[in-house]
Amino acid sequence: DNQLTFKVIDKDLGSKYKVKNISVSTGGQAETILKGFKPKVSKEHKVIYYTQSAKKCFELACLWGSSADFLISDYNETEIDGKKLVDIMAERGTKQYILENEELPVETEIIFINSACREGFNIKDTAVKTIICDAVNMITIEQVLGRIRGDLENFMVVSNFNYLERNKTKIREFVE
């Protein structure tokens, strides 16, 4: 079985912020990973889940239910049932709320994001306790982590075995 897993406790993020637990592991479907976190998710323990695909962000938000939302790049052209996901996102108003308030809406307990995390917004929401990053490269990992302005309990990087195996030294240096 292709497994590469390591965990770090109490990582400083620059001069101000800390992550209590960082874990890096291979594989696992988003649905399976989220199932393990579902009991922890609440208005006091919010989760940000990064995945590359805008469609996957939308699908996971729908699967999760009314306490979930999604955030994608304004330039994404993906459509679902003939409607652009950016239009659906705009109707919900979550992105505008985050830009104005630097926190997730109160009713949003989990948000699924893609490259929107690179579009110059910060999240200072103290209720965000966990970030799950379906990683594709180190730049993405750093960008996703860099959007949060506060301490975290969990930062989980999940990627395919081949990527982690090729980059394990670089990833280990980053998390340690």
Side-chain angles (χ1 to χ4, degrees):
D1 188 14
N2 286 342
Q3 280 295 322
L4 175 68
T5 303
F6 49 95
K7 190 171 183 170
V8 177
I9 306 297
D10 292 329
K11 163 77 173 172
D12 282 327
L13 302 177
S15 59
K16 295 182 182 180
Y17 311 117
K18 289 188 177 194
V19 175
K20 189 173 181 180
N21 299 296
I22 297 177
S23 61
V24 179
S25 63
T26 54
Q29 294 288 331
E31 294 82 356
T32 305
I33 294 164
L34 290 168
K35 192 175 186 181
F37 269 92
K38 194 155 191 159
K40 295 180 184 178
V41 180
S42 68
K43 288 181 171 70
E44 294 78 36
H45 188 127
K46 296 184 178 192
V47 174
I48 295 175
Y49 189 106
Y50 173 88
T51 188
Q52 208 171 8
S53 162
K55 183 178 179 188
K56 188 77 170 173
C57 287
F58 176 76
E59 289 170 345
L60 288 169
C62 290
L63 184 67
W64 192 273
S66 62
S67 63
D69 212 336
F70 72 102
L71 199 61
I72 61 173
S73 169
D74 289 333
Y75 307 106
N76 193 289
E77 297 290 323
T78 304
E79 291 186 10
I80 300 284
D81 297 327
K83 190 165 187 177
K84 287 187 177 183
L85 288 181
V86 292
D87 294 335
I88 296 170
M89 179 183 69
E91 288 171 7
R92 293 178 178 206
T94 302
K95 186 169 192 171
Q96 192 60 38
Y97 183 92
I98 293 170
L99 288 170
E100 291 172 5
N101 299 286
E102 296 186 323
E103 64 183 19
L104 302 183
V106 174
E107 66 279 359
T108 303
E109 296 175 357
I110 185 166
I111 192 160
F112 299 91
I113 64 172
N114 75 347
S115 60
C117 70
R118 295 184 184 176
E119 294 179 359
F121 66 86
N122 299 312
I123 299 175
K124 297 178 181 176
D125 192 335
T126 58
V128 173
K129 304 292 186 196
T130 297
I131 297 177
I132 302 169
C133 181
D134 189 349
V136 290
N137 58 51
M138 281 304 298
I139 293 169
T140 300
I141 294 168
E142 291 173 9
Q143 286 289 324
V144 170
L145 193 53
R147 295 301 95 209
I148 301 301
R149 303 291 188 252
D151 294 341
L152 292 171
E153 287 183 21
N154 306 293
F155 181 65
M156 178 188 289
V157 177
V158 182
S159 191
N160 70 58
F161 178 80
N162 291 333
Y163 175 77
L164 289 178
E165 184 63 31
R166 283 192 315 273
N167 294 283
K168 67 181 171 186
T169 302
K170 194 183 296 184
I171 293 169
R172 193 177 295 276
E173 286 171 3
F174 172 72
V175 299
E176 293 179 343

